[in-house]
Amino acid sequence: MTTTATLAAPPEPASARKSDTVTDLGAVAAAATTTPTVKARAAAAPAAPTARRRPAWLDTLGDCAAKILPPVVTMALLLGIWELASSQAGASLPPPSKVVADTRDLILHPFFDNGGNDVGMAWQLLASLERVLYGYSIAVVAGISLGVLVGQFALAMRGLDPVFQVLRTVPPLAWLPIALAGFRDGNPSAIFVIFITAVWPIIINTSIGIRNIPNDYRNVARVVRLNGIEYFWKIMMPAAAPYIFSGLRVGVGLSWLAIVAAEMLIGGVGIGFFIWDAWNSSRISDIVLALVYVGLVGFMLDRIVSWIGRWVARGSSVN
Amino acid sequence: MSQPFLELSLVSMAFKTRQGPFQALSDINLRVEKGEFVSLIGHSGCGKSTLLNIVAGLYRCTAGGVLLEGREVDQPGPDRAVVFQNHSLLPWLTAYENIELAVKKTSGGKRGKAQIREWILHNLKLVQMDHAMTKRPEELSGGMKQRIGIARALAMEPKVLLMDEPFGALDALTRARLQDELLRIVADTGSTVMMVTHDVDEAVLLSDRVVMMTNGPAATIGEILEVNLARPRNRLALATDARYLSARKAVLEFLYQKQLKAA
């Protein structure tokens, strides 16, 4: 279990900490225009109005700049280095300018459909997302159920935990041949691979969350005589929610990792297949574009689960 | 002699440990009358909380038994509501919802929706926390949380109110205020109370009887002191009252002479 402890760390109270950082950055940006000494003196002595009279919109602008500028600068730097490196004679990868030029049609027309596998990027992504949705949903239901079982009952823990610990180390793609043999079809096999990839962190985090429910809460439930179902909804789920959602976040990230690899092998439609197809016809720029989309969608999935987690678990991580 | 309200007879408790069984409590006999306030006092580790948990039904004693109104205690229940030392409020529920969880479950259909609300508000008012009903525990001070914990326990209409060092985690001033409040609430509701404490003044001020426990292992009741002070009791008036001082001295002597424990 020790190896999984890092997965199980409950999410930090992000809202509080983030807002701190933002204000700090804002203060830094504000301080950049006035010297720190002037600012300190202004705060101490109210008789120095020039340093303090600063319109509110300027502060807001400073806040925004402090948030947006660093990633923009980083991106520009990375793109610049890439452009320089790939513009050398004999470079094997296209520079960003060429990628954009090559993939103009794909970027501008994400929803075209020429039949068969020749469809726009949006359709490819949606096909992948649909598989992830099915596989991940099954993983959520099965993972939380098994996690509750293992977390709540010592006997189930002793019986199942060793199996889980071994199976969760099997790489996602190693399941694909077994799945293909079992389902005799690509699509359910890909969904199965998503499921089997995402389910382990959900099981393990849920069970840790359940085991970490303070004894006091259990005692309250016993004194009030909550029945099993009431205990599950009113104590167990809210108390373990921060752990469960950190498992769900890890799970959704892993399933997005796995779908691309699985689709490369099963073919058909999907962003993974698109990448493999592009490689087979040497459309390197298309691959680069697909990677950008894969990254953005993965980031969005993570944000969505994290946002739902914060909304559901509001209050329960604080004791 | 009539049947006692709450009766502990020959209660013993042994815990399994790696070094073999550990006898925590042995042969404890105690009778508590209806409306009585009894406190359990003893050095830490003497098993007073264990005894309270046995009465609560959270632990099963390994020998002997507990009878409440002639019925054996074999599981926890709202008729023996507990005020826990660290409040044990559910952090994701508001003060009102915390009490509601207990009331909805323990009213057992004998109250309608409006009556449940009325009863929760009544109990919040009893502990003077009706102004904070929509607050979550994290927004409340330690003393306020403990008030809600008391309201939650009282709202279950327990036959016996069990309190496990209810004010142990509070600062001295807040503790004194809550003790005074508890005196008033107990007078208003006529509750039967069993309270674990390690505070001599608290025990004497609040109790009708102070049950003093010997040190473990195999802790048992050493002495029982009757506190014959009229109610309502006033902390300031009692500070110089000879009977109060002698009761206090008796408990101190028991703890620091007869049961002196190498710290």
Side-chain angles (χ1 to χ4, degrees), chain A residues 37-227:
Chain A
T37 43
V38 170
K39 206 159 183 262
R41 211 181 302 148
T50 44
R52 290 196 311 141
R53 282 280 161 80
R54 178 199 294 278
W57 62 267
L58 204 64
D59 278 347
T60 322
L61 204 69
D63 281 355
C64 285
K67 244 197 275 185
I68 293 165
L69 269 180
V72 169
V73 170
T74 315
M75 281 294 290
L77 270 176
L78 287 175
L79 287 172
I81 293 170
W82 176 12
E83 182 79 40
L84 279 178
S86 314
S87 300
Q88 312 287 327
S92 50
L93 293 175
S97 53
K98 187 171 182 318
V99 168
V100 174
D102 287 350
T103 58
R104 242 182 80 89
D105 282 348
L106 284 173
I107 295 172
L108 291 179
H109 305 289
F111 288 102
F112 75 83
D113 187 349
N114 296 340
N117 295 335
D118 190 11
V119 295
M121 296 293 278
W123 297 121
Q124 308 277 12
L125 284 166
L126 282 173
S128 300
L129 277 172
E130 191 189 345
R131 290 185 179 125
V132 166
L133 182 72
Y134 288 139
Y136 183 67
S137 302
I138 301 169
V140 170
V141 174
I144 293 180
S145 313
L146 283 169
V148 167
L149 186 73
V150 171
Q152 184 69 11
F153 303 105
L155 198 64
M157 163 85 182
R158 256 173 266 151
L160 289 171
D161 193 58
V163 181
F164 291 164
Q165 296 300 334
V166 171
L167 288 185
R168 77 183 178 85
T169 64
V170 175
L173 280 191
W175 291 100
L176 190 60
I178 296 278
L180 284 169
F183 293 112
R184 294 162 193 275
D185 187 11
N187 204 38
S189 303
I191 291 171
F192 175 79
V193 169
I194 299 305
F195 159 76
I196 206 81
T197 309
V199 79
W200 308 118
I202 300 175
I203 292 177
I204 289 165
N205 278 284
T206 303
S207 71
I208 293 175
I210 303 285
R211 272 199 297 278
N212 278 328
I213 295 176
N215 227 355
D216 293 329
Y217 300 172
R218 294 179 196 273
N219 285 343
V220 168
R222 290 174 67 195
V223 169
V224 179
R225 286 198 186 149
L226 295 183
N227 63 35

Side-chain angles (χ1 to χ4, degrees), chain B residues 120-258:
Chain B
I120 296 169
L121 290 177
H122 168 80
N123 281 284
L124 278 166
K125 282 199 188 97
L126 200 62
V127 295
Q128 301 183 351
M129 285 300 292
D130 45 324
H131 60 91
M133 57 182 273
T134 57
K135 295 231 166 82
R136 289 180 202 279
E138 76 209 48
E139 302 171 86
L140 301 172
S141 70
M144 288 171 150
K145 280 186 255 205
Q146 207 49 277
R147 281 170 193 261
I148 303 290
I150 293 171
R152 176 174 64 183
L154 287 172
M156 295 183 222
E157 298 172 274
K159 291 175 183 158
V160 189
L161 180 63
L162 302 173
M163 308 182 93
D164 189 357
E165 298 190 26
F167 311 131
L170 304 177
D171 66 88
L173 292 176
T174 310
R175 188 185 308 169
R177 269 238 312 282
L178 280 187
Q179 287 163 355
D180 292 344
E181 297 258 341
L182 184 61
L183 275 175
R184 174 182 61 78
I185 290 166
V186 168
D188 286 356
T189 55
S191 308
T192 310
V193 185
M194 196 174 202
M195 180 181 75
V196 165
T197 180
H198 51 228
D199 181 329
V200 176
D201 285 298
E202 180 170 285
V204 176
L205 178 69
L206 298 178
S207 313
D208 298 309
R209 280 190 297 160
V210 180
V211 174
M212 293 172 262
M213 293 184 62
T214 63
N215 289 330
T220 188
I221 293 175
E223 286 177 31
I224 297 181
L225 176 80
E226 300 255 353
V227 184
N228 292 317
L229 294 170
R231 292 177 188 266
R233 294 176 182 172
N234 178 304
R235 162 189 313 278
L236 283 176
L238 288 176
T240 50
D241 186 297
R243 283 168 307 166
Y244 176 82
L245 292 175
S246 77
R248 194 172 174 275
K249 186 157 172 269
V251 180
L252 285 171
E253 273 175 359
F254 177 86
L255 290 176
Y256 298 107
Q257 278 179 4
K258 299 173 198 166

